[in-house]
Amino acid sequence: MREIVVFSGSAHTELAEQICSDLGVPLSPVEIHRFSNDCLQVQLQANCRQRDVYIVQPLVPPTQEHLMELLLMIDAARGASAQQITAVIPHYAYARSDKKDASRISIGGRLVADMLTTAGANRVLTMALHAPQVHGFFSVPVDHLTAIGVLADHFRGRDLSDTVVVSPDLGNAKTATQFARLLGVPVAAGSKQRMADDRVVIDAIVGDVAGKRAIVLDDEIATGGSIIELLDRLKDRGCTSAAVACTHGLFAGPAVERLRSHPSITEVISTDTVPRPDGFPELEITSVAGLFAEAIKRIHDGESVSSLFDGVDPTHAPPQPKLPF
């Protein structure tokens, strides 16, 4: 069987190293050079010929820089006669640009998908896309992982009586419902209107939250505006406290200060799809490196990746205490 070769760009080498440790393979070196005219050059420092190549690069700030690194690495692997190239993108930033909701704007999620396949990616491995339709933007196979099983493990074993899972908006309510079923608790959701990139209004809460402790679940936290607005409305409805959980903890701009200072928050937990932010020692990180390593192993061996989550989505199988790996 062809060998696995794993490379990483500069976006999140710690995650790539942990994935390789779980896989039992070395992280192959990459040389990234910047010319005087600000152009990048990438050289893969390991043999790719007829290998199964995986390139780990979440699209985190500076997003355009890291996207270009990823495209160059994919192109380099294709030119080096790799048998199969998988772009491992734990955080696909352009998934937010998934529709034309104003005149004369680009659907960036589709454009970036086209760029990745044009560069030479044969497959994409990602996690918690902001909108499920982004999966359909790709003309190559996409393995779409979820972190809700890993996040649920963080709360299992606690007293969850008088606890409710709350989604910041109705669009994330299905995922929040799956998460709530894993924990055996009820679910609620906010009715959100986005006024600007960093400003939202939540005008209603759907569900009973009075006298309950909340677990607020979101796919991504950037500036934290949605979360703070939701917490204020939950307090108005009688919610006693809240834990905040998300898959992609970007915590940009004022997010860290907002979350650290809000009186309703008891804890904040995120996964390591993106690097840990500075100045947030209270943040709890749960790793998804094992999930990505298992998915890579199954892709390499030609096994099912979706079966990895049989116990996560209750519509397919009963909730399980642990993921099957």
Side-chain angles (χ1 to χ4, degrees), residues 284-301:
E284 298 183 61
I285 298 289
T286 184
S287 182
V288 290
L291 269 178
F292 277 98
E294 180 65 19
I296 288 172
K297 181 179 181 297
R298 292 183 180 211
I299 292 169
H300 180 70
D301 293 341

Side-chain angles (χ1 to χ4, degrees), residues 45 52 58 140 173 191 200 309:
Q45 302 284 302
D52 200 355
V140 296
S191 175
V200 301
F309 302 101

Side-chain angles (χ1 to χ4, degrees), residues 192-215:
K192 181 173 75 174
Q193 297 181 57
R194 181 167 294 280
M195 314 305 290
D197 177 52
D198 60 349
R199 187 167 66 90
V200 301
V201 172
I202 295 178
D203 53 18
I205 301 292
V206 181
D208 181 18
V209 298
K212 297 181 182 293
R213 297 170 294 175
I215 300 175

Side-chain angles (χ1 to χ4, degrees), residues 39-78:
C39 291
L40 293 174
Q41 182 185 66
V42 165
Q43 184 178 29
L44 307 179
Q45 302 284 302
N47 183 16
C48 300
R49 187 175 297 275
Q50 298 304 303
R51 265 62 170 187
D52 200 355
V53 173
Y54 296 83
I55 301 173
V56 182
Q57 182 86 321
L59 299 183
V60 296
T63 305
Q64 281 58 246
E65 186 95 354
H66 292 142
L67 173 59
M68 195 64 200
E69 283 184 13
L70 176 58
L71 294 172
L72 290 171
M73 286 188 289
I74 293 171
D75 182 67
R78 180 178 63 173

